[in-house]
Each structure stands twice: as C-alpha cells, then as structure tokens.
Amino acid sequence: MTKNLSGLFISFEGIDGAGKSTHIAALAEAFRAEGRAVTLTREPGGTPLAEKLRAMVLGDAMDPLTEALLIFAARRDHLVNVIAPALRRGEVVLCDRFTDATFAYQGAGRGFDLKLLATLEQWVQADEGLLGDPAGNQPMKPEVETVIEPHLTVWFDLPPEEAALRLADARVPDKFEAQPVEFFRRVAQGYADRQQGHPERFARIDAAQERAAVWLAVRQVFVAKGWLS
Ligand code: TYD
C-alpha cells in the first residue's frame, strides 16, 4: 500500500486554555501507527536557540516590536533547522502554534501593525529553496514571494470566558496566560480574521465540546483529507 509520502506541515492554534496539547500528541500517535515519521514541535521554540528565545518572550517584559522580532527570529531558526529538513525527508510536522499565533497575539492582542508582521512573515518564511535544496542555506532573497506555511492549520476555537475558567486551575501562568480576558477576546478575533483570510488552510474545531468529541472532530479533518485512514 503506497501512501502519499510527501511532507505535511500542520500547525495547531487557539487561545491559551483551548486544550490543543493532548490532541496534538494523539495525532502524532495516529500518524506513527500508520507508519509515518512525525516531527512534533512547537513555537516559539523547537531548537536550542529558539527555546532560549521562548524563555525570554514568555518571561520578560519587552516592547511589542522586540517581542515580535524575537518570535520571528526563533521561527527562522526553527524553520531552517527543524521544519524544512523534516519536510524534505517527507515527514509529518506537527507544530504547536506557528505564524497565525503572531498575528493573533502580537497583532490583534497587542495591537501591533499587521502589515509589518506580514512583511516579517515574507522575509522569515521565504521559501528560497528551503524545501527543495538539501543544503537549504541560500542567502535571503526577500523579493521571492512564496512563503512556507502550513498545509493545514487546526484552530481550536473556544470562547475566551471558557478558556479563562480552564486556565484558572492551571499551573503558574506565563506572561500571556496572565493577561485579562479582554486580551484573549482580541486574540480570538485575531484568529477568526486569519481564518477569513485563509479559509482553505484553516479547519475550525469547536473546542467547547467535551474532549472525546473534540478528538473525533480533529481526527475527522485528517481522515477527510486522506491523511489518516
Ligand atoms: P503555549 O503554546 O500555549 O504553550 P504552553 O502549553 O506551554 O503554555 O504557549 C506559548 C505562548 O506564546 C502562548 O501564550 C502564545 C504565545 N505566542 C505568541 O504570543 N506569539 C507567537 O507567535 C507564538 C507562536 C506564541
């Protein structure tokens, strides 16, 4: 039985408390059970350098531009060293958050200029041979318009009030988790706007359902695409 073995890049999004982690782990299992190699990773983070940047972004106070630049620096390192090589090997890359989170959190949440974020996205995610050339280290060509983005983004949509209840009995909150519910209302709207802009890439999951129902809905998205049987 031959399956489509080209690389698959999947991101998972949603406000803090939306409950994506267990489903990401379950998907990794499901893909592995069907013989696929899986790279399970996250943003900000996924490489030693990007994990250091994550600790700063989640722990230290900084102005919004610094925050956005550190997140995109982490993304570049992650893309070049982990995501693109795994895709070239034909693996399934499951990434807990990607650039939609920057548009939702830094853009909608913090009010940072979306046009500037889009420019950074173009620069940082320019394909420039990353997916095709095993060396993957050509110089920057910012005029190149193709950007590397997920084939699919699973968006766990949960009302911010519900997420706040779930977070209330979670561990010590990081910088974002400690934000008031109004911040998460803006972030949630940011995700809705991103879906509107990329309807073909987004799969919205109603994350207010009980966990088993959420899992069925998530799995169904992958079955419908022919990526899981
Ligand atoms: P999260 O992915 O929720 O991990 P954990 O389960 O360990 O809390 O935490 C990452 C946080 O970083 C989350 O609050 C969202 C934030 N974030 C941004 O603000 N911008 C980004 O571009 C990304 C990727 C994450």
Side-chain angles (χ1 to χ4, degrees):
M1 182 182 64
T2 26
K3 279 211 126 182
N4 171 16
L5 282 184
S6 52
L8 274 183
F9 180 18
I10 321 284
S11 65
F12 300 86
E13 299 285 358
I15 58 176
D16 288 271
K20 53 195 163 50
S21 312
T22 52
H23 303 296
I24 299 173
L27 272 173
E29 273 314 299
F31 273 109
R32 285 179 180 134
E34 297 194 7
R36 294 293 305 257
V38 175
T39 289
L40 196 54
T41 189
R42 69 172 181 182
E43 291 220 344
T47 67
L49 172 61
E51 289 290 332
K52 286 189 210 164
L53 295 171
R54 175 189 178 95
M56 295 176 198
V57 167
L58 298 191
D60 299 345
M62 59 187 72
D63 89 279
L65 177 57
T66 308
E67 188 174 281
L69 291 173
L70 288 183
I71 287 171
F72 270 112
R75 180 160 300 135
R76 178 72 189 169
D77 194 56
H78 188 209
L79 191 59
V80 170
N81 292 302
V82 172
I83 297 176
L87 292 174
R88 291 198 301 268
R89 292 192 301 266
E91 294 187 11
V92 178
V93 176
L94 303 180
C95 190
D96 188 344
R97 301 190 184 281
F98 197 63
T99 304
D100 298 305
T102 315
F103 281 84
Y105 279 77
Q106 280 63 50
R110 295 254 194 257
F112 199 76
D113 180 8
L114 296 184
K115 281 215 238 47
L116 204 146
L117 294 181
T119 301
L120 289 170
E121 178 185 33
Q122 288 284 327
W123 274 74
V124 168
Q125 292 162 234
D127 186 341
E128 57 180 17
L130 269 183
L131 293 185
D133 166 23
N137 53 9
Q138 290 95 336
M140 289 283 283
K141 279 191 266 163
E143 72 278 12
V144 174
E145 279 187 14
T146 34
V147 295
I148 299 173
E149 58 173 22
H151 298 103
L152 170 72
T153 296
V154 182
W155 170 36
F156 293 85
D157 189 20
L158 185 71
E161 295 72 18
E162 177 66 26
L165 286 178
R166 292 187 189 177
L167 280 181
D169 33 59
R171 65 246 142 114
V172 184
D174 64 35
K175 196 172 94 187
F176 293 102
E177 289 162 350
Q179 293 287 326
V181 72
E182 298 76 57
F183 176 82
F184 289 107
R185 281 201 197 102
R186 293 196 298 276
V187 174
Q189 186 56 49
Y191 277 125
D193 293 345
R194 281 297 274 182
Q195 181 188 31
Q196 281 237 307
H198 303 81
E200 69 302 325
R201 173 163 65 80
F202 266 73
R204 179 189 166 275
I205 302 290
D206 175 5
Q209 307 171 85
E210 64 162 273
R211 184 175 291 184
V214 173
W215 168 243
L216 281 181
V218 170
R219 198 173 200 295
Q220 185 48 39
V221 170
F222 287 80
V223 171
K225 294 216 171 258
W227 294 342
L228 283 175
S229 48

